[in-house]
């Protein structure tokens, strides 16, 4: 099964940018539906972005559309989440996840998860 490790989180001011990475091993990122989710303490984990296994089609939550871009590098077996125009409400722990098929929106259907990386945006 695939193992996922996120990196690239940190603290930035509002309006700044970060690029998160998710390195995969034990499986290749282009053979899974891959997603980015985020979660604040005491809140439900929420969908941020996903990329389809076939065709590499990307999907975004309305709250990040136009600001975040998800991509994958098959040679590096790595996912990326470029986050621009960051807002304080983007402050969360960000997770990458993988699944073989099915609804990409629902976090409970993803069996493979990274450990998460903290993003903090100050105003």
């Amino acid at each position: 099964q695939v193992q996922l490790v996120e990196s690239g989180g940190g603290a930035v001011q509002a309006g700044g940018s970060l690029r998160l990475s998710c390195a995969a091993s034990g499986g290749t990122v282009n053979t899974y539906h891959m997603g980015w989710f985020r979660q604040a303490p005491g809140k439900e984990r929420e969908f941020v972005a996903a990329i389809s296994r076939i065709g590499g089609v990307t999907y975004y939550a309305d709250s990040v559309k136009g600001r975040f871009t998800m991509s994958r590098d098959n040679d590096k077996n790595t996912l990326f989440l470029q986050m621009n125009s960051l807002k304080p409400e983007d402050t969360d722990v960000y997770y990458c996840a993988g699944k073989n098929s099915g609804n990409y929106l629902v976090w409970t259907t993803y069996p493979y998860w990274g450990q998460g990386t903290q993003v903090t945006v100050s105003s």
Side-chain angles (χ1 to χ4, degrees), residues 69-88:
T69 303
M70 183 176 184
S71 61
R72 69 185 180 202
D73 185 324
N74 295 335
D75 291 338
K76 294 181 179 178
N77 206 23
T78 300
L79 290 175
F80 300 99
L81 185 68
Q82 178 66 44
M83 306 187 296
N84 298 330
S85 302
L86 282 162
K87 304 175 181 180

Side-chain angles (χ1 to χ4, degrees), residues 15-85:
S17 298
L18 283 173
R19 188 174 82 153
L20 305 185
S21 299
C22 174
S25 59
T28 52
V29 292
N30 62 347
T31 62
Y32 295 88
H33 294 312
M34 301 298 299
W36 285 98
F37 293 80
R38 63 187 183 186
Q39 187 172 23
K43 289 191 174 181
E44 181 83 4
R45 194 165 294 189
E46 67 172 359
F47 169 76
V48 175
I51 187 166
S52 65
R53 175 171 59 90
I54 299 174
V57 180
T58 51
Y59 307 87
Y60 298 95
D62 288 342
S63 58
V64 306
K65 203 171 291 183
R67 300 188 297 123
F68 291 11
T69 303
M70 183 176 184
S71 61
R72 69 185 180 202
D73 185 324
N74 295 335
D75 291 338
K76 294 181 179 178
N77 206 23
T78 300
L79 290 175
F80 300 99
L81 185 68
Q82 178 66 44
M83 306 187 296
N84 298 330
S85 302

Side-chain angles (χ1 to χ4, degrees), residues 81-103:
L81 185 68
Q82 178 66 44
M83 306 187 296
N84 298 330
S85 302
L86 282 162
K87 304 175 181 180
E89 51 263 43
D90 294 318
T91 296
D92 273 319
V93 178
Y94 284 71
Y95 299 88
C96 69
K99 62 188 299 184
N100 294 107
S101 63
N103 190 327

